[in-house]
Every structure is written in structure tokens, then in C-alpha cells.
Amino acid sequence: MTAPETLYRPHTPRAGRPRHLWAWALAASQLAVVWLWWRYGWQAGLPAMVLSHAYFMGQVFLPRSRLYAPVVRTRPGSGAAVWLTIDDGPSDDTPAMLDLLDAHDAKATFFLVGERAARQPALVHEILRRGHDLGNHSDSHPQAWFWALGPKAMAREIGQAQRTLAGIAGTPPRWYRSVVGMTNPFVAGPLHAHGLQRVAWTARGFDGVDCEPVQTVARIARDLAPGAIVLLHEGAAHGHNPAILRGVLAELETRGLRAVLPEPVAG
């Protein structure tokens, strides 16, 4: 589903750190490798090359890394509040999770997959009707190869999801989460073009894969504190996502924490 032009316009890009700073750092590191190889031979040059390549590759898989794109790493705002984020919807779990959030007077940002949203627009409207927020979580959620997408494929994944969600909601999302948190050098361009802010997390229980609810909630609870960004999922095959959300909401109440949508982030 593509948004009508009257509904969707990319946001005006915000000023910030240079988007290609990583490229200068990579070039500088390789010049250092060349110098070490020339000065001390392969015994120094080869390990330096391997380590430098491992560093730049490893940053792709670190959800909180800022090397390739800016990222929100704690909940914007103050007070005894956390940010609940729910990935991979909409799904058959969405209505139950919305009911749980209502019962606890909690708000969340739903990071939606464009293709899934296009198939179930009524669920997207229901998320918004109940006072929650939307985020961009790619168009097709290619989790096995998202890390390796080139510039055109990455722009398509982010841009098409943005157009789909804007067409359903009437306004474009402002938040984005990379698939499995993986962020390669080609993510920053589409985020800049669409005015999106990338969001990481500080508390997770690995509820997107086969898990046991009590243990999963306990893993999340270890990192619950004011300013936490909680990563949750919906629609996983194990069927426990609503139960896990229920446990997290109960844990928040026990600790005197509220699940509140974040304040705007300055550009």
C-alpha cells in the first residue's frame, strides 16, 4: 500500500554529526595498516588489518552503536518512566496486547513491519485510537540478510514502510528500529531523508524466539529503571508475547515506574 502524495511528505532532515564520518575513520584506519605493514612488515600489518576490519564489521551488529547512524539509547524525558517498544506487528497478538496496556494505563510505541501493516490496516488504526505511537521497522523484515543490504535495497525497505505507515495513519512515523538491531552504513541515508530517529533498547528478554515467560520477564526486570527502553515483540510463534507483556507491566507497577511515550528529541 502506497501513501497518497497528499498524505505523505518526507520530513525535513535535521542537522547533526556528519553521516559519513565512519568512512573517514575507515580510510584513516587502513592508512595506518599500510604504514604498519610498510614499517614493521606483515607481522604487524596483518593483525592490524584484521582487527580494523573486525571493528567496523562488528559495529553493524551492535544495536546501540552510533558509528553508522545516530541512535536514541535511553528514553527521552525525565521522571520515573520507561519506554515500552513492541516490534514486528501488527499481528494476531495486537488486540490482546492493547487490552493489557489499557488495563495498566500504559502507552507503547509499536514498531510495525510495512507489509504486515498493509495487510491489517484496521489494527494500525486501533493502535493509534488507543493513544499509542508507531515506528518504522522495515517493509519486509528480512532478518537473515538485513545487515548486508546495499543502499538501494535499504532505501526501499525503510522508504516503503514509511510510505505505507504514513498512508494508513495519515502522518509518517518519527521513530525507526533496525531489524534485529543491525545497522550498516546504508541506514543513515534513508533515516536522514525521512526525518526518522533510530531507537535502540536497554532492557530485553529475547522474547522474539522460543522462551519461557517467567524467565523472560526476569531478564527484562534486571534492567528496568527510569529512562529504560524496553524491547518486546508480538506475534512470535511461541505464543507467549501477551503473557510476557503482562509480567513486565506488573513489574513496572511494583517498582513505581510508568510506561509513557517519550518526549520529542531535539534535532
Side-chain angles (χ1 to χ4, degrees):
M1 178 174 181
T2 302
E5 283 299 316
T6 55
L7 288 178
Y8 176 70
R9 291 287 190 278
H11 289 188
T12 301
R14 297 176 307 276
R17 58 177 282 180
R19 288 186 289 122
H20 303 298
L21 187 61
W22 67 269
W24 290 102
L26 177 60
S29 73
Q30 299 316 293
L31 287 174
V33 167
V34 170
W35 182 85
L36 284 169
W37 208 306
W38 171 78
R39 183 67 175 81
Y40 298 105
W42 69 268
Q43 294 92 337
L46 182 58
M49 181 180 71
V50 171
L51 288 172
S52 68
H53 287 189
Y55 171 78
F56 285 97
M57 187 64 185
Q59 298 301 303
V60 171
F61 302 98
L62 299 177
R64 291 166 58 84
S65 172
R66 291 173 169 162
L67 181 64
Y68 298 123
V71 62
V72 178
R73 300 198 286 190
T74 58
R75 179 190 175 277
S78 59
V82 304
W83 185 3
L84 291 183
T85 64
I86 302 173
D87 287 10
D88 296 355
S91 71
D92 291 342
D93 287 340
T94 304
M97 299 184 87
L98 288 172
D99 288 343
L100 284 167
L101 291 166
D102 282 352
H104 290 264
D105 192 23
K107 300 301 179 186
T109 296
F110 286 75
F111 284 89
L112 303 182
V113 177
E115 289 181 350
R116 298 171 190 173
R119 290 194 296 267
Q120 302 187 80
L123 288 179
V124 181
H125 287 300
E126 187 64 10
I127 290 169
L128 294 169
R129 188 186 73 79
R130 299 208 198 184
H132 304 289
D133 198 8
L134 304 183
N136 181 325
H137 195 41
S138 84
D139 190 54
S140 66
H141 201 268
Q143 64 185 45
W145 61 85
F146 187 81
W147 65 274
L149 293 183
K152 290 184 179 179
M154 187 65 75
R156 184 167 58 250
E157 279 290 334
I158 296 172
Q160 184 56 46
Q162 192 75 348
R163 288 185 288 273
T164 297
L165 295 173
I168 297 171
T171 57
R174 56 177 170 157
W175 308 115
Y176 161 83
R177 174 166 286 148
S178 290
V179 177
V180 200
M182 298 180 292
T183 302
N184 73 20
F186 306 118
V187 167
L191 298 191
H192 187 74
H194 294 286
L196 284 161
Q197 293 180 315
R198 176 175 154 241
V199 180
W201 58 80
T202 61
R204 71 180 301 186
F206 299 94
D207 62 324
V209 296
D210 192 29
C211 63
E212 195 280 326
V214 173
Q215 294 175 354
T216 302
V217 172
R219 285 193 291 268
I220 294 170
R222 288 197 296 262
D223 295 313
L224 287 181
I229 302 176
V230 183
L231 171 63
L232 297 167
H233 292 81
E234 61 172 298
H238 55 64
H240 299 315
N241 291 137
I244 292 166
L245 174 60
R246 182 183 298 110
V248 169
L249 290 168
E251 189 69 29
L252 291 176
E253 290 187 351
T254 298
R255 297 180 182 217
L257 296 170
R258 299 176 60 233
V260 181
L261 293 178
E263 298 171 10
V265 176

